Amino acid sequence: MNRNRPKFKQILDAAVVVIAEHGYHSSQVSKIAKQAGVADGTIYLYFKNKEDILISLFQEKMGQFIERIQEDIQKEETASEKLFFLIQRHITFLSEDQHLAAVTQLELRQTNRDIRNQINEVLKGYLQIIDEILESGIESGEFQEELDARLARQMIFGTIDEVVTTWVMNEYKYDITELIPKVHKLLLHGCKR
Amino acid sequence: MNRNRPKFKQILDAAVVVIAEHGYHSSQVSKIAKQAGVADGTIYLYFKNKEDILISLFQEKMGQFIERIQEDIQKEETASEKLFFLIQRHITFLSEDQHLAAVTQLELRQTNRDIRNQINEVLKGYLQIIDEILESGIESGEFQEELDARLARQMIFGTIDEVVTTWVMNEYKYDITELIPKVHKLLLHGCKR
Amino acid sequence: MNRNRPKFKQILDAAVVVIAEHGYHSSQVSKIAKQAGVADGTIYLYFKNKEDILISLFQEKMGQFIERIQEDIQKEETASEKLFFLIQRHITFLSEDQHLAAVTQLELRQTNRDIRNQINEVLKGYLQIIDEILESGIESGEFQEELDARLARQMIFGTIDEVVTTWVMNEYKYDITELIPKVHKLLLHGCKR
Amino acid sequence: MNRNRPKFKQILDAAVVVIAEHGYHSSQVSKIAKQAGVADGTIYLYFKNKEDILISLFQEKMGQFIERIQEDIQKEETASEKLFFLIQRHITFLSEDQHLAAVTQLELRQTNRDIRNQINEVLKGYLQIIDEILESGIESGEFQEELDARLARQMIFGTIDEVVTTWVMNEYKYDITELIPKVHKLLLHGCKR
DNA sequence: CATGAATGAGTATTCATTCAT
DNA sequence: AATGAATGAATACTCATTCAT
C-alpha cells in the first residue's frame, strides 16, 4: 500500500475524474479501475476498500494543499494579509481543478458519517490555520479583542465553503476568482475592530 | 398521496427518527414503515418512492418553518433586529429537535444531486428572507452601502449552517442557543457600516 | 357470484379491453376494476381471484360460441359443409372482435398450466365438434376410411389456430375472412379420399 | 457474455431443467443458479437479465436444430421425402428431451410479446424450410399447383406444433414418434395433387 | 352489495470484494 | 505485482387480496 508507487496517484486521479463526471453513487470501483487503466483487483492492492479511495483522495489532494498554505502563510505579515492569502489560495486552488471542486463540494458529502469524520480530521489542519490568523489578528490589535475564535473560524470556513459550493452548483458559470477580494473584505470587516 | 391524511405525517416523523438514528444509507423503507406502525406497502400510498420521503420531509418540516419566519419577521423593525430574529429562530428550531437537526445537517446531504436540487428549491425561500434583511439594512443605512448582497447572503447562511453542523457533529454536547447573540454580533459586524 | 348480474359481464368486458390493450402481465386487477367502473374489492364479489377472471372470460365468450356452433352445425348436411361452417364461424367470430382475438391467441397463453388446463376443458367441446365432423365424413365416405381421427382433429384445430394467431401477430393487417374458403379447401383436401 | 465459455451452456441446461420442473413463473433466478452450481451474480456475467436466459435458450437449442435440418434436408430428393424428414426430425428432437419439449411447448409461451417476437425471429428459419419444401413440391408437380404457400405453411407448422403440444400436455404418456408417418401422410395428402 | 385503504409476501439485480492463476 | 471471473449479500417496490365501514 505504498503511497509513492505511480499507480496510487493514477487511481486517485481516475477517481476524481469518474466521480466528478458520474457522481459518487454511480462511480463503481470497476469504473474507476477502467479509467485508471488497471484491473479491478489492483485497486485493492493500494486501497483497503472503496471508502479508503475517497479518504485517501481527500488526504492526498487537500493534505498537500493545506501543508503548502501552512508554510507560505508565514511570509504574510498582517492578519489581514494572511486572511487574504488563505482565501486566495483556497479559491484559486479549487478554481483550477473543477473536477476536484465538484468532488469536494458535492460528491464527497454524499457519504456516511465515518468518512466525513475522517475528512474532518484532514480539515483540522486547515481550521488551525484560521485559528492562527485569528489569534495573530487579536494579538496585533487588528481584530476585535472579544472575538469568539471558534465562531469566527466557523464564519470564515462556512463562508468560503458556501461561496465555492454555490459556484459549483451554478456550474462554474462565473469567474469565482473575482470574488476573492470581496470575500476578504466581507470577512475582514466581520473580524476587525 | 394526500398530504393531509394522518399517516402522511406519521411516516415522515418515523423517517426523521429512523434516519437520525441509523443514518440515511441504513434506513431501509421497511425500517421506516415499522417505526411508523404501517405496512411497507402503505409507504407507497403516500410517497412515490424512497427519495420522495426525504424530499417531502424537508418540504414539510422546513417549508412551514420558513413560512412562519417570513410572517413573523415583518414585526421586527431594524435590520439588526431582523437578523437576530432569523438567527434565533433558525438555531432554536433545530436545537429543539435534535433528530431533525441530524437529518438536515448530515444525512440529507448524503443524497444525489437530484434530491439536493429539490431541497435547494425549498431553501430559496429562506435565502430570500436573508436578501430582504440585507436590502432593508442597506436602505436604512444600517449596513454598508457597497455590500455585495449575494456574498453577504452566502456568509450569513454559510455561517449559521456551519455553526449548526459543528454542534451536531459534536453530538450536541454544548448549548447551541447560547451562541445566538454571538453569531448575531459577528454577522452584524460583518455587514454594518 | 351470480353470473347473471350485470356487473359480472361488465367486468369481463373490461378485462378483455384492458388485457388486449396492455397485455396480460400489465393488466392489474385495479386497472380492470377502473375500466369496469367498479371498486377493486367489487371484483372479488364476482370472481374468486384474478385467474378466475381469465377462466370465466374464456368460458363465457368461447363457451357460448361453441354452444351455438354445436346447434347450428346440425343444419349442414355433408361433412364438407360442416367443416366449412366450422371454419367460417371460428374465423368470423374472432375477426369481429379483435380485442378478444388478441386475448385468446396471445395473452391467455401467457398463463400458468393450471389456467391452461381449465381452458382446455372448455376447448373439449370444440374438439368434440371436430370429431363429429370427422366421424360423419368417414361414415358417409367423404373422408378417408383410415383417417386417424385424433391426428386429423389436431391438424384441423392446429391449422385454424395458427392461421388466426398469425393474423393477430401481423396486427390484423389483412382481411382474414378471405382465407376461409382456402383454409377449407386445404383441410378438406387433407381429409377426403 | 461469451457464449462459448462452458458456464454459458451450463446455465442454459440448468434453466431448461428448472423451468420444465417448476414452470416459468416459479423459476427464480436463484433457483436456476443453484441448479447450475453457480452464484446468482454469475448468471449476469452471461445474460443481460432473466428474459435473456429464455431467449438465449431458444436461440441456442432451436437455432442449431434448425441449422442442422437446413443442411441435411438437401440430401432428400422428393418434396414428400423432405416433408417426412422435417416431421421426423422435429418430433424426434423434442421426444428425446422432454424437459426441452415442456419448455418450448408450454413455458416459453407464458412470456410477454417482446420475448415472443424474438422467438419468432428464430422460428423464421424454420418456416423458410417449410416454404422451400412447398416450392420444390409445386415445381416438381408433386403438390397442387394452386396451393397457397402461406396457408399450407401454417397448416404444416400448426399441425406439428399441436401434435407435440398435445403430447406434452398428456404428460408424454404415449410414444409420439409412432405418429411421425401418420402426420406425414396426413399433411402430404393435404398438399399433393 | 359496494367500497378502497391497507396489507405484506415475494424477487430480480447490483457491485464491492476475493482469490486462484 | 497484477488480473478479472466469480461471489452472494442486501433491498426497494408491486399488486393480488382483505375487511372495516
Side-chain angles (χ1 to χ4, degrees), chain C residues 2-27:
Chain C
N2 189 331
R3 299 197 155 208
N4 294 321
R5 280 182 296 166
K7 282 192 181 163
F8 181 80
K9 286 188 194 303
Q10 193 174 324
I11 291 166
L12 288 188
D13 288 338
V16 173
V17 172
V18 170
I19 294 173
E21 226 162 87
H22 301 91
Y24 174 62
H25 287 298
S26 299
S27 295

PDB file of all heavy atoms in Angstrom, chain C residues 2-27:
ATOM      1  N   ASN C   2     -73.146 -14.700  -8.688  1.00  0.00           N
ATOM      2  CA  ASN C   2     -74.116 -14.975  -9.739  1.00  0.00           C
ATOM      3  C   ASN C   2     -73.652 -14.426 -11.090  1.00  0.00           C
ATOM      4  O   ASN C   2     -73.387 -13.251 -11.238  1.00  0.00           O
ATOM      5  CB  ASN C   2     -75.451 -14.330  -9.342  1.00  0.00           C
ATOM      6  CG  ASN C   2     -76.560 -14.758 -10.276  1.00  0.00           C
ATOM      7  OD1 ASN C   2     -76.318 -15.052 -11.442  1.00  0.00           O
ATOM      8  ND2 ASN C   2     -77.773 -14.809  -9.765  1.00  0.00           N
ATOM      9  N   ARG C   3     -73.576 -15.324 -12.055  1.00  0.00           N
ATOM     10  CA  ARG C   3     -73.068 -14.938 -13.364  1.00  0.00           C
ATOM     11  C   ARG C   3     -74.067 -14.126 -14.179  1.00  0.00           C
ATOM     12  O   ARG C   3     -73.779 -13.722 -15.291  1.00  0.00           O
ATOM     13  CB  ARG C   3     -72.708 -16.185 -14.173  1.00  0.00           C
ATOM     14  CG  ARG C   3     -71.624 -17.019 -13.512  1.00  0.00           C
ATOM     15  CD  ARG C   3     -71.008 -17.994 -14.483  1.00  0.00           C
ATOM     16  NE  ARG C   3     -69.666 -18.302 -14.005  1.00  0.00           N
ATOM     17  CZ  ARG C   3     -68.670 -18.653 -14.813  1.00  0.00           C
ATOM     18  NH1 ARG C   3     -68.877 -18.739 -16.109  1.00  0.00           N
ATOM     19  NH2 ARG C   3     -67.486 -18.889 -14.327  1.00  0.00           N
ATOM     20  N   ASN C   4     -75.229 -13.923 -13.636  1.00  0.00           N
ATOM     21  CA  ASN C   4     -76.225 -13.219 -14.433  1.00  0.00           C
ATOM     22  C   ASN C   4     -76.362 -11.747 -14.059  1.00  0.00           C
ATOM     23  O   ASN C   4     -76.995 -10.980 -14.766  1.00  0.00           O
ATOM     24  CB  ASN C   4     -77.576 -13.923 -14.290  1.00  0.00           C
ATOM     25  CG  ASN C   4     -77.506 -15.314 -14.907  1.00  0.00           C
ATOM     26  OD1 ASN C   4     -76.882 -15.491 -15.952  1.00  0.00           O
ATOM     27  ND2 ASN C   4     -78.102 -16.289 -14.247  1.00  0.00           N
ATOM     28  N   ARG C   5     -75.763 -11.381 -12.960  1.00  0.00           N
ATOM     29  CA  ARG C   5     -75.844  -9.971 -12.592  1.00  0.00           C
ATOM     30  C   ARG C   5     -75.030  -9.148 -13.591  1.00  0.00           C
ATOM     31  O   ARG C   5     -74.003  -9.603 -14.106  1.00  0.00           O
ATOM     32  CB  ARG C   5     -75.318  -9.797 -11.170  1.00  0.00           C
ATOM     33  CG  ARG C   5     -76.410 -10.194 -10.148  1.00  0.00           C
ATOM     34  CD  ARG C   5     -75.946  -9.995  -8.750  1.00  0.00           C
ATOM     35  NE  ARG C   5     -74.828 -10.860  -8.425  1.00  0.00           N
ATOM     36  CZ  ARG C   5     -74.064 -10.699  -7.362  1.00  0.00           C
ATOM     37  NH1 ARG C   5     -74.286  -9.701  -6.541  1.00  0.00           N
ATOM     38  NH2 ARG C   5     -73.079 -11.528  -7.120  1.00  0.00           N
ATOM     39  N   PRO C   6     -75.499  -7.953 -13.852  1.00  0.00           N
ATOM     40  CA  PRO C   6     -74.866  -7.154 -14.917  1.00  0.00           C
ATOM     41  C   PRO C   6     -73.380  -6.910 -14.695  1.00  0.00           C
ATOM     42  O   PRO C   6     -72.614  -6.876 -15.655  1.00  0.00           O
ATOM     43  CB  PRO C   6     -75.662  -5.841 -14.881  1.00  0.00           C
ATOM     44  CG  PRO C   6     -76.370  -5.810 -13.565  1.00  0.00           C
ATOM     45  CD  PRO C   6     -76.614  -7.231 -13.188  1.00  0.00           C
ATOM     46  N   LYS C   7     -72.949  -6.753 -13.453  1.00  0.00           N
ATOM     47  CA  LYS C   7     -71.541  -6.426 -13.227  1.00  0.00           C
ATOM     48  C   LYS C   7     -70.610  -7.563 -13.607  1.00  0.00           C
ATOM     49  O   LYS C   7     -69.430  -7.337 -13.865  1.00  0.00           O
ATOM     50  CB  LYS C   7     -71.322  -6.030 -11.766  1.00  0.00           C
ATOM     51  CG  LYS C   7     -71.784  -4.592 -11.537  1.00  0.00           C
ATOM     52  CD  LYS C   7     -71.368  -4.021 -10.231  1.00  0.00           C
ATOM     53  CE  LYS C   7     -71.925  -2.601 -10.126  1.00  0.00           C
ATOM     54  NZ  LYS C   7     -71.927  -2.099  -8.755  1.00  0.00           N
ATOM     55  N   PHE C   8     -71.131  -8.776 -13.611  1.00  0.00           N
ATOM     56  CA  PHE C   8     -70.297  -9.908 -13.999  1.00  0.00           C
ATOM     57  C   PHE C   8     -69.796  -9.715 -15.432  1.00  0.00           C
ATOM     58  O   PHE C   8     -68.589  -9.721 -15.692  1.00  0.00           O
ATOM     59  CB  PHE C   8     -71.106 -11.209 -13.868  1.00  0.00           C
ATOM     60  CG  PHE C   8     -70.337 -12.447 -14.219  1.00  0.00           C
ATOM     61  CD1 PHE C   8     -69.468 -13.021 -13.312  1.00  0.00           C
ATOM     62  CD2 PHE C   8     -70.477 -13.040 -15.472  1.00  0.00           C
ATOM     63  CE1 PHE C   8     -68.758 -14.165 -13.638  1.00  0.00           C
ATOM     64  CE2 PHE C   8     -69.764 -14.171 -15.804  1.00  0.00           C
ATOM     65  CZ  PHE C   8     -68.908 -14.734 -14.888  1.00  0.00           C
ATOM     66  N   LYS C   9     -70.735  -9.469 -16.333  1.00  0.00           N
ATOM     67  CA  LYS C   9     -70.341  -9.269 -17.728  1.00  0.00           C
ATOM     68  C   LYS C   9     -69.547  -7.974 -17.908  1.00  0.00           C
ATOM     69  O   LYS C   9     -68.618  -7.900 -18.716  1.00  0.00           O
ATOM     70  CB  LYS C   9     -71.573  -9.247 -18.630  1.00  0.00           C
ATOM     71  CG  LYS C   9     -72.189 -10.645 -18.823  1.00  0.00           C
ATOM     72  CD  LYS C   9     -73.296 -10.646 -19.862  1.00  0.00           C
ATOM     73  CE  LYS C   9     -74.098 -11.943 -19.781  1.00  0.00           C
ATOM     74  NZ  LYS C   9     -73.255 -13.163 -19.940  1.00  0.00           N
ATOM     75  N   GLN C  10     -69.939  -6.976 -17.129  1.00  0.00           N
ATOM     76  CA  GLN C  10     -69.274  -5.668 -17.185  1.00  0.00           C
ATOM     77  C   GLN C  10     -67.773  -5.813 -16.890  1.00  0.00           C
ATOM     78  O   GLN C  10     -66.930  -5.228 -17.566  1.00  0.00           O
ATOM     79  CB  GLN C  10     -69.953  -4.800 -16.128  1.00  0.00           C
ATOM     80  CG  GLN C  10     -69.681  -3.334 -16.177  1.00  0.00           C
ATOM     81  CD  GLN C  10     -70.563  -2.644 -15.125  1.00  0.00           C
ATOM     82  OE1 GLN C  10     -71.715  -3.040 -14.885  1.00  0.00           O
ATOM     83  NE2 GLN C  10     -69.995  -1.629 -14.476  1.00  0.00           N
ATOM     84  N   ILE C  11     -67.478  -6.629 -15.904  1.00  0.00           N
ATOM     85  CA  ILE C  11     -66.071  -6.830 -15.522  1.00  0.00           C
ATOM     86  C   ILE C  11     -65.335  -7.639 -16.582  1.00  0.00           C
ATOM     87  O   ILE C  11     -64.199  -7.329 -16.943  1.00  0.00           O
ATOM     88  CB  ILE C  11     -65.983  -7.518 -14.141  1.00  0.00           C
ATOM     89  CG1 ILE C  11     -66.469  -6.552 -13.048  1.00  0.00           C
ATOM     90  CG2 ILE C  11     -64.554  -7.961 -13.850  1.00  0.00           C
ATOM     91  CD1 ILE C  11     -66.743  -7.209 -11.709  1.00  0.00           C
ATOM     92  N   LEU C  12     -66.006  -8.672 -17.111  1.00  0.00           N
ATOM     93  CA  LEU C  12     -65.358  -9.477 -18.153  1.00  0.00           C
ATOM     94  C   LEU C  12     -65.068  -8.634 -19.386  1.00  0.00           C
ATOM     95  O   LEU C  12     -63.979  -8.731 -19.966  1.00  0.00           O
ATOM     96  CB  LEU C  12     -66.246 -10.668 -18.529  1.00  0.00           C
ATOM     97  CG  LEU C  12     -66.341 -11.784 -17.489  1.00  0.00           C
ATOM     98  CD1 LEU C  12     -67.093 -12.979 -18.086  1.00  0.00           C
ATOM     99  CD2 LEU C  12     -64.958 -12.218 -17.029  1.00  0.00           C
ATOM    100  N   ASP C  13     -66.022  -7.804 -19.786  1.00  0.00           N
ATOM    101  CA  ASP C  13     -65.788  -6.954 -20.958  1.00  0.00           C
ATOM    102  C   ASP C  13     -64.619  -6.003 -20.698  1.00  0.00           C
ATOM    103  O   ASP C  13     -63.785  -5.770 -21.578  1.00  0.00           O
ATOM    104  CB  ASP C  13     -67.057  -6.156 -21.291  1.00  0.00           C
ATOM    105  CG  ASP C  13     -68.135  -7.051 -21.892  1.00  0.00           C
ATOM    106  OD1 ASP C  13     -67.762  -8.116 -22.415  1.00  0.00           O
ATOM    107  OD2 ASP C  13     -69.314  -6.702 -21.815  1.00  0.00           O
ATOM    108  N   ALA C  14     -64.574  -5.467 -19.488  1.00  0.00           N
ATOM    109  CA  ALA C  14     -63.459  -4.575 -19.130  1.00  0.00           C
ATOM    110  C   ALA C  14     -62.147  -5.336 -19.217  1.00  0.00           C
ATOM    111  O   ALA C  14     -61.137  -4.817 -19.721  1.00  0.00           O
ATOM    112  CB  ALA C  14     -63.665  -4.020 -17.729  1.00  0.00           C
ATOM    113  N   ALA C  15     -62.157  -6.586 -18.753  1.00  0.00           N
ATOM    114  CA  ALA C  15     -60.929  -7.391 -18.753  1.00  0.00           C
ATOM    115  C   ALA C  15     -60.426  -7.599 -20.174  1.00  0.00           C
ATOM    116  O   ALA C  15     -59.228  -7.479 -20.452  1.00  0.00           O
ATOM    117  CB  ALA C  15     -61.176  -8.723 -18.057  1.00  0.00           C
ATOM    118  N   VAL C  16     -61.337  -7.906 -21.099  1.00  0.00           N
ATOM    119  CA  VAL C  16     -60.936  -8.111 -22.492  1.00  0.00           C
ATOM    120  C   VAL C  16     -60.252  -6.861 -23.027  1.00  0.00           C
ATOM    121  O   VAL C  16     -59.161  -6.924 -23.612  1.00  0.00           O
ATOM    122  CB  VAL C  16     -62.158  -8.461 -23.383  1.00  0.00           C
ATOM    123  CG1 VAL C  16     -61.744  -8.507 -24.847  1.00  0.00           C
ATOM    124  CG2 VAL C  16     -62.754  -9.782 -22.968  1.00  0.00           C
ATOM    125  N   VAL C  17     -60.865  -5.711 -22.800  1.00  0.00           N
ATOM    126  CA  VAL C  17     -60.306  -4.460 -23.313  1.00  0.00           C
ATOM    127  C   VAL C  17     -58.933  -4.183 -22.700  1.00  0.00           C
ATOM    128  O   VAL C  17     -57.960  -3.905 -23.415  1.00  0.00           O
ATOM    129  CB  VAL C  17     -61.264  -3.286 -23.013  1.00  0.00           C
ATOM    130  CG1 VAL C  17     -60.598  -1.961 -23.370  1.00  0.00           C
ATOM    131  CG2 VAL C  17     -62.562  -3.465 -23.778  1.00  0.00           C
ATOM    132  N   VAL C  18     -58.852  -4.287 -21.381  1.00  0.00           N
ATOM    133  CA  VAL C  18     -57.593  -3.951 -20.694  1.00  0.00           C
ATOM    134  C   VAL C  18     -56.481  -4.913 -21.098  1.00  0.00           C
ATOM    135  O   VAL C  18     -55.368  -4.490 -21.415  1.00  0.00           O
ATOM    136  CB  VAL C  18     -57.790  -3.967 -19.164  1.00  0.00           C
ATOM    137  CG1 VAL C  18     -56.455  -3.874 -18.454  1.00  0.00           C
ATOM    138  CG2 VAL C  18     -58.703  -2.831 -18.746  1.00  0.00           C
ATOM    139  N   ILE C  19     -56.782  -6.216 -21.114  1.00  0.00           N
ATOM    140  CA  ILE C  19     -55.749  -7.202 -21.439  1.00  0.00           C
ATOM    141  C   ILE C  19     -55.302  -7.045 -22.892  1.00  0.00           C
ATOM    142  O   ILE C  19     -54.113  -7.107 -23.198  1.00  0.00           O
ATOM    143  CB  ILE C  19     -56.252  -8.633 -21.170  1.00  0.00           C
ATOM    144  CG1 ILE C  19     -56.473  -8.826 -19.670  1.00  0.00           C
ATOM    145  CG2 ILE C  19     -55.248  -9.656 -21.676  1.00  0.00           C
ATOM    146  CD1 ILE C  19     -57.125 -10.152 -19.306  1.00  0.00           C
ATOM    147  N   ALA C  20     -56.265  -6.817 -23.798  1.00  0.00           N
ATOM    148  CA  ALA C  20     -55.903  -6.657 -25.207  1.00  0.00           C
ATOM    149  C   ALA C  20     -55.006  -5.433 -25.387  1.00  0.00           C
ATOM    150  O   ALA C  20     -54.075  -5.444 -26.187  1.00  0.00           O
ATOM    151  CB  ALA C  20     -57.161  -6.512 -26.056  1.00  0.00           C
ATOM    152  N   GLU C  21     -55.295  -4.401 -24.592  1.00  0.00           N
ATOM    153  CA  GLU C  21     -54.558  -3.152 -24.772  1.00  0.00           C
ATOM    154  C   GLU C  21     -53.181  -3.187 -24.103  1.00  0.00           C
ATOM    155  O   GLU C  21     -52.191  -2.729 -24.671  1.00  0.00           O
ATOM    156  CB  GLU C  21     -55.377  -2.011 -24.167  1.00  0.00           C
ATOM    157  CG  GLU C  21     -55.468  -0.797 -25.062  1.00  0.00           C
ATOM    158  CD  GLU C  21     -56.622   0.093 -24.640  1.00  0.00           C
ATOM    159  OE1 GLU C  21     -56.390   0.930 -23.755  1.00  0.00           O
ATOM    160  OE2 GLU C  21     -57.748  -0.061 -25.173  1.00  0.00           O
ATOM    161  N   HIS C  22     -53.114  -3.713 -22.892  1.00  0.00           N
ATOM    162  CA  HIS C  22     -51.867  -3.618 -22.123  1.00  0.00           C
ATOM    163  C   HIS C  22     -51.108  -4.926 -22.013  1.00  0.00           C
ATOM    164  O   HIS C  22     -49.999  -4.957 -21.505  1.00  0.00           O
ATOM    165  CB  HIS C  22     -52.153  -3.093 -20.709  1.00  0.00           C
ATOM    166  CG  HIS C  22     -52.794  -1.744 -20.697  1.00  0.00           C
ATOM    167  ND1 HIS C  22     -54.156  -1.569 -20.688  1.00  0.00           N
ATOM    168  CD2 HIS C  22     -52.264  -0.498 -20.731  1.00  0.00           C
ATOM    169  CE1 HIS C  22     -54.441  -0.277 -20.693  1.00  0.00           C
ATOM    170  NE2 HIS C  22     -53.329   0.395 -20.730  1.00  0.00           N
ATOM    171  N   GLY C  23     -51.685  -6.013 -22.487  1.00  0.00           N
ATOM    172  CA  GLY C  23     -51.037  -7.305 -22.329  1.00  0.00           C
ATOM    173  C   GLY C  23     -51.372  -7.895 -20.964  1.00  0.00           C
ATOM    174  O   GLY C  23     -51.669  -7.170 -20.015  1.00  0.00           O
ATOM    175  N   TYR C  24     -51.293  -9.194 -20.870  1.00  0.00           N
ATOM    176  CA  TYR C  24     -51.721  -9.866 -19.645  1.00  0.00           C
ATOM    177  C   TYR C  24     -50.943  -9.409 -18.409  1.00  0.00           C
ATOM    178  O   TYR C  24     -51.518  -9.138 -17.365  1.00  0.00           O
ATOM    179  CB  TYR C  24     -51.567 -11.382 -19.815  1.00  0.00           C
ATOM    180  CG  TYR C  24     -51.845 -12.158 -18.562  1.00  0.00           C
ATOM    181  CD1 TYR C  24     -53.100 -12.126 -17.970  1.00  0.00           C
ATOM    182  CD2 TYR C  24     -50.839 -12.904 -17.940  1.00  0.00           C
ATOM    183  CE1 TYR C  24     -53.362 -12.829 -16.809  1.00  0.00           C
ATOM    184  CE2 TYR C  24     -51.094 -13.616 -16.783  1.00  0.00           C
ATOM    185  CZ  TYR C  24     -52.351 -13.568 -16.226  1.00  0.00           C
ATOM    186  OH  TYR C  24     -52.598 -14.248 -15.064  1.00  0.00           O
ATOM    187  N   HIS C  25     -49.624  -9.302 -18.545  1.00  0.00           N
ATOM    188  CA  HIS C  25     -48.814  -9.022 -17.355  1.00  0.00           C
ATOM    189  C   HIS C  25     -48.895  -7.579 -16.880  1.00  0.00           C
ATOM    190  O   HIS C  25     -48.436  -7.242 -15.799  1.00  0.00           O
ATOM    191  CB  HIS C  25     -47.359  -9.426 -17.606  1.00  0.00           C
ATOM    192  CG  HIS C  25     -47.179 -10.898 -17.615  1.00  0.00           C
ATOM    193  ND1 HIS C  25     -47.444 -11.682 -16.524  1.00  0.00           N
ATOM    194  CD2 HIS C  25     -46.813 -11.753 -18.603  1.00  0.00           C
ATOM    195  CE1 HIS C  25     -47.228 -12.945 -16.822  1.00  0.00           C
ATOM    196  NE2 HIS C  25     -46.858 -13.020 -18.090  1.00  0.00           N
ATOM    197  N   SER C  26     -49.459  -6.716 -17.693  1.00  0.00           N
ATOM    198  CA  SER C  26     -49.639  -5.329 -17.251  1.00  0.00           C
ATOM    199  C   SER C  26     -51.104  -5.037 -16.932  1.00  0.00           C
ATOM    200  O   SER C  26     -51.486  -3.889 -16.809  1.00  0.00           O
ATOM    201  CB  SER C  26     -49.142  -4.365 -18.327  1.00  0.00           C
ATOM    202  OG  SER C  26     -47.772  -4.576 -18.576  1.00  0.00           O
ATOM    203  N   SER C  27     -51.889  -6.088 -16.827  1.00  0.00           N
ATOM    204  CA  SER C  27     -53.315  -5.889 -16.555  1.00  0.00           C
ATOM    205  C   SER C  27     -53.617  -6.173 -15.092  1.00  0.00           C
ATOM    206  O   SER C  27     -54.093  -7.247 -14.735  1.00  0.00           O
ATOM    207  CB  SER C  27     -54.137  -6.805 -17.461  1.00  0.00           C
ATOM    208  OG  SER C  27     -53.959  -6.435 -18.805  1.00  0.00           O
TER     209      SER C  27
END
